[in-house]
Amino acid sequence: MKNKKVNITEVVLRDGQQSLIATRMRLSDMTPILSKLDNIGFSSLEMWGGATYDCCLRFLNEDPWERLKVIKSNVIKTKLQMLLRGKNLVGYKKYDDTVTDLFIKKSSENGIDIFRIFDALNDINNIIHSIECANKYNANSQGTISYTTSPIHNEKYWLKLAKDIEDAGAKSLGIKDMAGLLKPKTAYELIKKLKKNLNIPIHLHTHATTGLSDATNFKAYEAGVDNIDTSISSFSNLYAHTATESLISMIYDDNDNPFDMNELAEISDYFQNIRNKYSQYEGSMKGVDIKMLINQVPGGMLSILEKQLLDLNKSDKLDDLVKEIPRIRKDVGYIPLVTPASQIIGAQALLNILDNERYKNLNKEFIDLVKGDYGKIPGDVDKALLKIVDAKSYDQTIESKSVDQARLDFKDFCKENNLENLHKSDTDLLNFILFTKESKDFYTKSSVVSMNDLIELQEGFGIYMSD
Ligand code: CO
């Protein structure tokens, strides 16, 4: 069987380094290799997203917009791609449509060509506006499925969601399997059907966590998928992705390979040296994490919870915790474990275990999630849990700052800090709206790392970003 060519997106600059070294790679470690990456012939380079944006301001003392501009100026031929959390943009709460519009406008102006837009709940209403904005600013709007497995997430569910995404005007469809749950045969069947029912190109993004990704990507290729995400070999596998060179070798013979394997080897060597510099941020997993297939708990999520239990001297509770997460997930209608839902459910599971009683105490975010403030829940919420939430919840208005209000605050902030030239820039304003505290530190600092930063740094905060 001879398939047509499949496009490849290289993810080392975003998800590869996010999955393996907690998103700590600095721009200065990327720039020397950008023109080589640009010359390979990738369909796009994924290089920006929620965790990269967050870590730039929180840990690296970098302006994320500067990173975008520098990468754009070095990458001439290849499209740049970012991951966007729908209404949550690159943050953790819902933002006004005006903020979304401004964010996508500035991102597009500064170089993003493809916006991969997803929602943790797969609520189409949380991604429609971002799709429209990307279209408005002539970018490729990639409406995305957050893949998971559960009694309600069947082929029919995915086909309907994919059709809704196409009908919403998306220019391409992304299948985002952040936990490596998509099995090869399922991928083959799903993509065959999607190709039959949809007119837009289909992109597959899966992780190697469970050891399935090589086979899944290859079966997806056989089913006619249009684009596959991979990470250069020295930043591949474990929590990350199939190696770029491996996938290319599976697809092409030596005599028809359009990719220069020697150039790829040089790029891999370059990144191997970079990876060594960040070894303190590596996760503990050595091979594959098969627990994912049983409990659906992403490896990164598990390692941070493990650390939290250890700090509390409650390591003996780990088994209970691992079992509690899928129970909660069932209670809340099988929400996929992806940012921000994975953090919210993980925190509630920890509370339930430490209290020795389910739902004795509730996180505010968990209440919001159950009440539907994050969007429509895919399945049914457990009735007993709904009762508890109603009894415990309080009157709360979702904090939704209008741009005008933020602009006002920003102006005050600039004045107070003798930074009055800043409030003229829309990208500075966006930093301030999206990461207020981190931006305050960033614009006024001092590159001194605070005590809190050090604690979060040790806990591998970035690894926990399960997207
Ligand atoms: Co990913």
Side-chain angles (χ1 to χ4, degrees), residues 147-212:
Y147 186 79
T148 188
T149 53
S150 85
I152 61 160
H153 290 94
N154 50 31
E155 198 176 79
K156 199 173 144 209
Y157 180 97
W158 298 125
L159 287 173
K160 180 176 183 314
L161 179 60
K163 195 74 195 137
D164 288 347
I165 287 172
E166 184 177 62
D167 291 345
K171 297 281 187 285
S172 54
L173 176 82
I175 302 170
K176 175 180 163 56
D177 176 25
M178 52 279 168
L181 296 171
L182 182 59
K183 294 185 176 179
K185 285 191 272 185
T186 316
Y188 184 85
E189 295 300 327
L190 180 62
I191 286 163
K192 273 271 179 208
K193 294 228 167 77
L194 286 170
K195 286 304 292 176
K196 218 169 135 186
N197 286 286
L198 264 63
N199 294 311
I200 52 176
I202 298 169
H203 292 228
L204 178 62
H205 175 93
T206 183
H207 280 250
T209 329
T210 55
L212 301 175

Side-chain angles (χ1 to χ4, degrees), residues 50-55 58 85 87-95 339-341 343-344 365 374 434-435 438 461-462 464-467:
T52 41
Y53 198 107
D54 184 336
C55 284
R58 191 185 302 266
R85 298 172 183 152
K87 267 191 192 301
N88 305 128
L89 297 177
V90 290
Y92 307 94
K93 54 183 187 184
K94 279 202 265 188
Y95 297 99
T339 302
Q343 285 84 349
I344 297 170
E365 288 79 11
Y374 283 84
L434 294 163
F435 289 93
E438 292 74 16
F461 181 83
Y464 190 17
M465 303 265 190
S466 32
D467 60 8

Side-chain angles (χ1 to χ4, degrees), residues 47-286:
M47 39 58 69
W48 229 43
T52 41
Y53 198 107
D54 184 336
C55 284
C56 274
L57 289 166
R58 191 185 302 266
F59 298 123
L60 304 177
N61 201 23
E62 271 184 36
D63 181 355
W65 296 93
E66 188 59 25
R67 178 178 291 203
L68 171 56
K69 285 176 206 167
V70 169
I71 295 179
K72 188 68 184 178
S73 66
N74 284 277
V75 176
I76 316 297
K77 299 178 247 179
T78 316
K79 291 192 165 81
L80 297 186
Q81 180 172 331
M82 81 165 293
L83 183 64
L84 193 79
R85 298 172 183 152
K87 267 191 192 301
N88 305 128
L89 297 177
V90 290
Y92 307 94
K93 54 183 187 184
K94 279 202 265 188
Y95 297 99
D96 259 19
D97 283 353
T98 41
V99 179
T100 301
D101 193 293
L102 183 64
F103 183 85
I104 292 180
K105 177 173 185 257
K106 297 315 287 183
S107 307
S108 170
E109 275 174 15
N110 284 290
I112 297 293
D113 301 291
I114 302 169
F115 290 85
R116 174 173 287 163
I117 304 157
F118 79 97
D119 174 56
L121 304 180
N122 283 313
D123 183 349
I124 185 84
N125 292 315
N126 282 345
I127 64 173
I128 281 180
H129 185 65
S130 303
I131 291 174
E132 288 167 354
C133 289
N135 291 343
K136 178 171 153 191
Y137 297 111
N138 295 318
N140 185 324
S141 52
Q142 184 168 116
T144 299
I145 286 172
S146 300
Y147 186 79
T148 188
T149 53
S150 85
I152 61 160
H153 290 94
N154 50 31
E155 198 176 79
K156 199 173 144 209
Y157 180 97
W158 298 125
L159 287 173
K160 180 176 183 314
L161 179 60
K163 195 74 195 137
D164 288 347
I165 287 172
E166 184 177 62
D167 291 345
K171 297 281 187 285
S172 54
L173 176 82
I175 302 170
K176 175 180 163 56
D177 176 25
M178 52 279 168
L181 296 171
L182 182 59
K183 294 185 176 179
K185 285 191 272 185
T186 316
Y188 184 85
E189 295 300 327
L190 180 62
I191 286 163
K192 273 271 179 208
K193 294 228 167 77
L194 286 170
K195 286 304 292 176
K196 218 169 135 186
N197 286 286
L198 264 63
N199 294 311
I200 52 176
I202 298 169
H203 292 228
L204 178 62
H205 175 93
T206 183
H207 280 250
T209 329
T210 55
L212 301 175
S213 70
D214 292 352
T216 299
N217 282 324
F218 192 71
K219 289 301 281 182
Y221 161 71
E222 286 191 333
V225 79
D226 298 277
N227 197 105
I228 294 174
D229 286 14
T230 58
S231 191
I232 197 79
S233 55
S234 54
F235 266 84
S236 72
N237 290 305
L238 299 173
Y239 306 97
H241 318 78
T242 286
T244 304
E245 303 94 309
S246 305
L247 186 79
I248 290 171
S249 301
M250 287 179 220
I251 292 174
Y252 298 106
D253 294 326
D254 290 347
N255 57 4
D256 72 355
N257 190 348
F259 293 93
D260 186 331
M261 298 304 278
N262 291 317
E263 286 289 309
L264 285 167
E266 277 181 37
I267 293 172
S268 181
D269 286 348
Y270 173 84
F271 278 111
Q272 184 59 61
N273 283 327
I274 299 297
R275 185 167 170 178
N276 294 340
K277 280 171 51 176
Y278 296 94
S279 58
Q280 75 200 94
Y281 302 111
E282 298 265 355
S284 60
M285 190 168 78
K286 297 278 193 276

